[in-house]
Amino acid sequence: MLTLENLTKRYPGAAAPAVDGLTLTVAPGELFALLGPNGAGKTTTLNCLLGFVAPNSGRALIDGLDVVAAPLETKRRLAYIPEQVNLYGHFSGLENLAYFSELAGHRYPDTELRRFLAEAGLQDDAHGRRVGGYSKGMRQKVGIAIALAKNAKVLLLDEPTSGLDPGASHEFSRLLRRLRERGVAILMATHDLFRAKADADRVGIMRHGRLAHLLTAAELAHTDLEKLYLETMAA
């Protein structure tokens, strides 16, 4: 569902590529956690998948479509939740969902929009309230509802649990499991080692734009992920 083929991105004037020959796949229903310090290449990888930056070589594919060759079609197939979900603060959660759904080519009655919000875990009494008063966790739930309304096949996450309390972080993981049950492929860039180990089917540790380690869920169960991560960063 999501494929990177020898993806390389070098910014002008940089001494080394931000992403250097990165190859990975994420299957339908799989959560792949991408770990690494700031500057490891995680955000550049997501930006290539979103079509915000073009790679110097290699390819980024969404549902078999090249992001550079088919930017609009690939965007229709994915949803993106950044560290801070950008919504219109003077709109309600319901109005934001209606607006972003229409941008994606879908128009739903209010009853259906409310169903998406409820499925994403947003309490009923918040649907009509202005988003400007929402917590980060509530904004993320609207982001999940947008992914549901778009019928997104791929979900890209950038530090989704940063700033969440343990309860909200656990609830967000539960929502991701429900999306995986629907066959959504999820690529999550994160610093949260605990959630990566608890939730991911596979974990990749990036360093200097490359995958230094790739671990399956079975391997994670017998690995001290924090120790491996720190050793990788110190190498």
Side-chain angles (χ1 to χ4, degrees), residues 35-122:
L35 302 175
N38 293 334
K42 305 187 305 298
T43 297
T44 296
T45 298
L46 294 183
N47 285 339
C48 286
L49 285 162
L50 290 162
F52 294 163
V53 298
N56 296 101
S57 61
R59 296 197 302 168
L61 306 172
I62 301 291
D63 197 18
L65 298 173
D66 188 297
V67 171
V68 174
L72 294 180
E73 283 301 315
T74 53
K75 284 182 175 65
R76 290 190 181 101
R77 288 164 164 78
L78 64 81
Y80 171 54
I81 298 181
E83 183 175 355
Q84 297 295 332
V85 179
N86 294 316
L87 300 170
Y88 289 98
H90 58 287
F91 284 1
S92 68
L94 191 69
E95 290 167 335
N96 270 280
L97 178 57
Y99 176 72
F100 286 107
S101 296
E102 288 196 31
L103 284 182
H106 304 282
R107 179 171 291 185
Y108 298 102
D110 278 6
T111 52
E112 190 73 359
L113 293 171
R114 289 182 181 276
R115 186 181 68 80
F116 288 131
L117 290 169
E119 189 174 350
L122 189 68

